[in-house]
Amino acid sequence: MTQVVHPARALWWLFEPVHALTYFSPEARAAYEAAGLRGYWRGYFGGRSAPLGAVDAAPVVAAFFNFAPQMVERALPDVWNLATPEQALRARVAGATGALERVLAEVKPDLVDRSVDLLERAVDGLDCCGRVLAAANADLPRPDTRLARLWQATTVLREHRGDGHVAALVAEGLDGCEALVVRCALDTRRETLQPHRGWTDAEWDAATERLIERRWLSPDGSLTAEGRHRHLALESATDLAASRVWAHFHRSELDELATTLRPIAAACRADLPPSTPIGLPNAA
């Protein structure tokens, strides 16, 4: 039986790979290094948090949600001694644009142009109340080039959905480490997520025990029926929170956006590692 997918989730499957290039492309890494942010995590935390300004670790721990505080504290606020937020922002746009120029070389320009038009229309209609990362990104000046605008629009939309997802996780009573443990019980290896989020074995095991006590997990670490039900509930809440983005679009426009984004997403996805820690959805 064909699974019915919420339109907000189906579109996320398509715009998330465009944004994700900034974490894995050689162009992005080179741009951050040129700005003085050498080392993957300096570029990651500096680039992603730069819209918030020269913040300390605490707001980033809160906004990014699933990183261990000690991991964030190793990068922030020290990265601002290496590059200003303005320099980090220029570097992330330059890296993303360079990656898109290479990856989308065979994609028809009119598909990019129409995708940008529709995505920016969605961004213009966003309500960012309660969504700090989305609001900070939406407040940035719109870039000049079409590829930079494509990346910027997808970034605002994915941070908007991400902020809503964090709210759903909090409403379900999950903390950052517990959310990762649930994800691993679903479809991801612990060895993929834990080192990239900085939690110690003791912290990870304690989170697992809490989830067993709350009947999210069985003693063997697998999801219980209740855990699956509650996970579906929080994913549905995430979709619902993201659905208002598209409420002023006609169905024909949503179909058109999906059509124009599909080859763009496929090209971007093909350039990404087969396994990543960022929660990249399966191909639509």
Side-chain angles (χ1 to χ4, degrees), residues 16-49:
E16 178 75 6
V18 182
H19 167 82
L21 286 179
T22 195
Y23 303 127
F24 303 106
S25 72
E27 293 88 351
R29 180 70 174 266
Y32 283 130
E33 289 184 351
L37 298 176
R38 295 178 178 84
Y40 178 85
W41 291 111
R42 289 191 182 96
Y44 177 88
F45 286 115
R48 192 176 172 209
S49 70

Side-chain angles (χ1 to χ4, degrees), residues 29 73 166 210 251:
R29 180 70 174 266
E73 290 163 359
V166 168
R210 292 194 297 272
R251 180 54 191 258

Side-chain angles (χ1 to χ4, degrees), residues 2 28 47 57 73 83 136 158 200 208 268 281:
T2 302
E73 290 163 359
R158 73 88 65 171
T200 66
T208 301
C268 292

Side-chain angles (χ1 to χ4, degrees), residues 11 15 110-126 142 146 149-150 153-154 157 245-246 248-261 264:
L11 287 169
F15 63 69
D110 62 314
L111 295 178
V112 174
D113 289 343
R114 186 55 177 155
S115 294
V116 170
D117 291 342
L118 291 168
L119 290 168
E120 288 185 342
R121 182 179 155 200
V123 169
D124 289 341
L126 285 182
R142 187 159 285 172
R146 297 297 271 182
R149 287 168 62 183
L150 173 69
T154 60
L157 290 169
V245 176
W246 311 107
H248 55 292
F249 282 73
H250 295 297
R251 180 54 191 258
S252 61
E253 293 173 317
L254 296 179
D255 290 342
E256 182 186 8
L257 178 56
T259 298
T260 60
L261 272 179
I264 295 171

